[in-house]
Amino acid sequence: MGNLTGKEVAQMHKDYVMQSWSKSGVDALPVEKAKGIYFWDYDGKKYADMASLLVCSNLGHELPEIVEAIKEQADKMCFMAPAYASEPKSKLAKMLVEAAGADHFKRVFFTNGGAESNENAIKMARMVTGRTKVFSCYRSYHGATLGASNASGDWRRFAAEIGGANGFVKFMNPQMYRDGYTYGVDDEVVTKKALADLDLQLRYEGPQNVAAILMESIVGANGVILPPKGYMEGVRKLCDKYGILMICDEVMAGFFRTGKWFAWQNFDFVPDMITFAKGVTCGYVQLGGVIVNKKVADYFEENVLQCGLTYSGHTLACAAGVAALTYYKEHNIEQHVAEMHEIVAPFMQKMVEKHKCVGEARCIGLFGALEMVKNKETREPLQEYGVPGTAMPWIFAELKKRGFATFGRENFIEVCPPLIITKEELEEYLPILDEVLTMADEKFCD
């Protein structure tokens, strides 16, 4: 290992790898190493990871505490089957229940990643309730396995619908800016109408047939969409009204991304199940899972849990998870995120005020997105949903040229740096975004 050139690595990727969400045979940047908030290509060019890769590298790259925990566990035992207890798995399950709140939650089922977490939460909800239907949002993404894909709302579900899976029902969740409203001003009217519409749709589908409502606590991959005030609490009340389980997808938003252990803790409700992945190990080893409340846990003390994975509670992954959760707590990441938010959020709002192409900034903790528009008066998006365009790819390419690595979809730019980022690093790299937005103003806006 380590004797290939960057060109050879890139060519072999192009020739042999099937690229996610893309046609095969595309060019990919060959990355040689990563450290802290940075990664480097084979030519030595440094990039600031301003999206935490896929909003998963919460503690940055090559954090010694996680790396050493993996090495130490590897020297003892890399893997033990799920039927056996291992110290990392037992410890991590307890830590996760305590982070979610041991007064409500009781047990954890471990998976390999976010999609499997949502897949198994759906299965559990159907078993516990004896119902089939699962409600989820159009503005959502829950993973690429069959059930998680069908629960997802964006275009990435389409291939999974060929032959399909039964019982999945979509509803339109609010997006204040895109719907013509202002967050913090029109919340009451939007919440009232959205909940009334959802209640009516539940009644049309037969609430006695609905096992779960699956929602991202804060929509991530579709634009860091903040729910209007009272909305999530209202969905919880509808679930209680009809005996429906509420599943909060925390795969992207969890582990202090929003400033709390879990994003739902920013609101005044408690879900029945929490799905997680990404920040639990920061991607060092793949891991996900479902944290269940006492009602769900008690059901499976009397009934067989018909869920299973060879690598459930993988020993190395759980060791990485224990190290990550320990680091979050011991290094007071909650406080650090709050302090860095006071730099990022005002900067993003300044971009709205300064640039013609930025319609709205959304930011909670270090979970942020800029909504890009052609015209602020009409709120016409810079790139329409489901319509290919050149503007957004151009913006991301210009950012990457300058060492600012991030991503987005449709007409938004994600601003989700590692939670360990410093004031000095933000002050060095945020101006690059400002610079590229100035170029976009001239190139794309009316």
Side-chain angles (χ1 to χ4, degrees):
M1 295 295 290
N3 58 351
L4 295 177
T5 67
K7 287 183 179 179
E8 288 172 330
V9 170
Q11 190 61 51
M12 290 170 70
H13 179 101
K14 189 172 184 177
D15 291 343
Y16 298 108
V17 174
M18 298 181 76
Q19 183 69 40
S20 303
W21 312 118
S22 175
K23 295 178 181 178
S24 294
V26 298
D27 291 320
L29 177 71
V31 176
E32 185 177 24
K33 61 182 181 179
K35 182 76 173 176
I37 73 159
Y38 304 105
F39 59 86
W40 288 262
D41 66 22
Y42 280 73
D43 295 323
K45 181 176 173 61
K46 182 171 74 171
Y47 302 83
D49 181 8
M50 297 302 286
S52 303
L53 295 184
L54 297 174
V55 197
C56 57
S57 302
N58 286 10
L59 296 176
H61 305 282
E62 293 300 298
L63 186 75
E65 286 84 349
I66 300 179
V67 173
E68 288 304 315
I70 294 169
K71 288 179 179 179
E72 184 178 332
Q73 185 59 50
D75 284 338
K76 294 179 183 177
M77 176 175 64
C78 286
F79 168 64
M80 184 46 58
Y84 297 93
S86 70
E87 182 177 334
K89 179 170 61 176
S90 297
K91 287 176 69 173
L92 183 57
K94 182 175 185 289
M95 294 170 79
L96 287 163
V97 167
E98 290 172 348
D103 49 340
H104 293 286
F105 296 93
K106 189 173 182 180
R107 296 185 186 275
V108 180
F109 177 76
F110 286 109
T111 70
N112 298 307
E116 287 183 350
S117 300
N118 288 316
E119 193 85 34
N120 284 280
I122 290 167
K123 288 173 66 177
M124 289 182 202
R126 286 172 166 171
M127 284 184 274
V128 170
T129 64
R131 303 173 180 181
T132 301
K133 292 184 179 181
V134 174
F135 269 55
S136 57
C137 305
Y138 273 110
R139 296 177 175 118
S140 75
Y141 180 68
H142 297 291
T145 53
L146 184 62
S149 286
N150 275 273
S152 296
D154 69 29
W155 60 269
R156 289 173 289 179
R157 76 182 191 276
F158 293 155
E161 291 180 332
I162 301 171
N166 68 313
F168 290 92
V169 180
K170 301 290 185 304
F171 64 98
M172 189 59 79
N173 46 328
Q175 208 274 40
M176 298 282 280
Y177 183 82
R178 182 60 40 226
D179 296 341
Y181 297 98
T182 301
Y183 186 79
V185 175
D186 302 311
D187 298 64
E188 186 176 352
V189 64
V190 172
T191 292
K192 183 177 180 180
K193 183 178 188 309
L195 292 174
D197 289 346
L198 177 56
D199 191 0
L200 181 61
Q201 190 174 356
L202 285 165
R203 284 181 277 128
Y204 266 99
E205 291 290 339
Q208 72 279 4
N209 302 318
V210 181
I213 296 179
L214 168 61
M215 299 178 70
E216 294 170 90
S217 304
I218 293 172
V219 174
N222 282 268
V224 188
I225 302 170
L226 305 178
K229 291 178 179 62
Y231 179 68
M232 297 299 288
E233 292 85 350
V235 174
R236 170 77 267 183
K237 288 178 181 177
L238 287 175
C239 288
D240 292 340
K241 177 180 178 180
Y242 295 122
I244 297 167
L245 294 176
M246 186 174 185
I247 306 170
C248 277
D249 179 341
E250 293 274 346
V251 170
M252 189 174 281
F255 303 101
F256 295 105
R257 176 55 56 184
T258 68
K260 303 285 187 182
W261 273 112
F262 297 103
W264 64 265
Q265 292 168 336
N266 290 282
F267 310 109
D268 187 22
F269 78 100
V270 181
D272 297 296
M273 289 188 265
I274 306 163
T275 61
F276 66 89
K278 293 187 185 283
V280 68
T281 65
C282 303
Y284 286 52
V285 185
Q286 308 96 307
L287 185 69
V290 188
I291 308 170
V292 304
N293 69 2
K294 293 176 180 179
K295 174 184 176 181
V296 176
D298 289 349
Y299 177 87
F300 290 111
E301 290 176 8
E302 302 296 328
N303 299 273
V304 174
L305 174 62
Q306 296 181 52
C307 300
L309 299 158
T310 297
Y311 302 121
S312 175
H314 192 283
T315 317
L316 275 186
C318 287
V322 170
L325 266 65
T326 299
Y327 192 94
Y328 286 126
K329 190 172 182 178
E330 290 185 352
H331 289 78
N332 201 0
I333 294 298
E334 181 175 6
Q335 179 62 32
H336 185 71
V337 169
E339 292 171 1
M340 295 306 101
H341 173 83
E342 292 306 313
I343 298 172
V344 174
F347 169 84
M348 292 177 66
Q349 189 55 43
K350 182 181 176 183
M351 294 303 95
V352 176
E353 296 161 5
K354 180 177 179 179
H355 295 290
K356 294 187 292 182
C357 64
V358 183
E360 184 183 54
R362 299 184 289 272
C363 187
I364 180 170
L366 288 176
F367 203 20
L370 294 175
E371 182 97 11
M372 303 296 290
V373 295
K374 290 181 180 177
N375 184 296
K376 283 192 177 184
E377 296 301 316
T378 64
R379 301 191 181 186
E380 181 184 358
L382 192 57
Q383 193 163 306
E384 292 281 1
Y385 178 83
V387 180
T390 59
M392 296 304 295
W394 182 91
I395 289 171
F396 292 122
E398 289 297 321
L399 287 169
K400 187 171 281 188
K401 281 182 192 176
R402 292 159 175 78
F404 188 112
T406 189
F407 76 99
R409 192 163 290 106
E410 278 70 62
N411 70 313
F412 67 88
I413 300 170
E414 294 261 0
V415 183
C416 305
L419 308 184
I420 60 168
I421 197 166
T422 65
K423 176 177 182 287
E424 292 73 23
E425 288 166 336
L426 287 170
E427 289 173 347
E428 179 180 358
Y429 282 93
L430 288 177
I432 294 173
L433 180 55
D434 188 4
E435 177 187 343
V436 172
L437 291 173
T438 298
M439 297 166 65
D441 282 342
E442 298 171 359
K443 191 174 180 68
F444 300 113
C445 291
D446 297 338

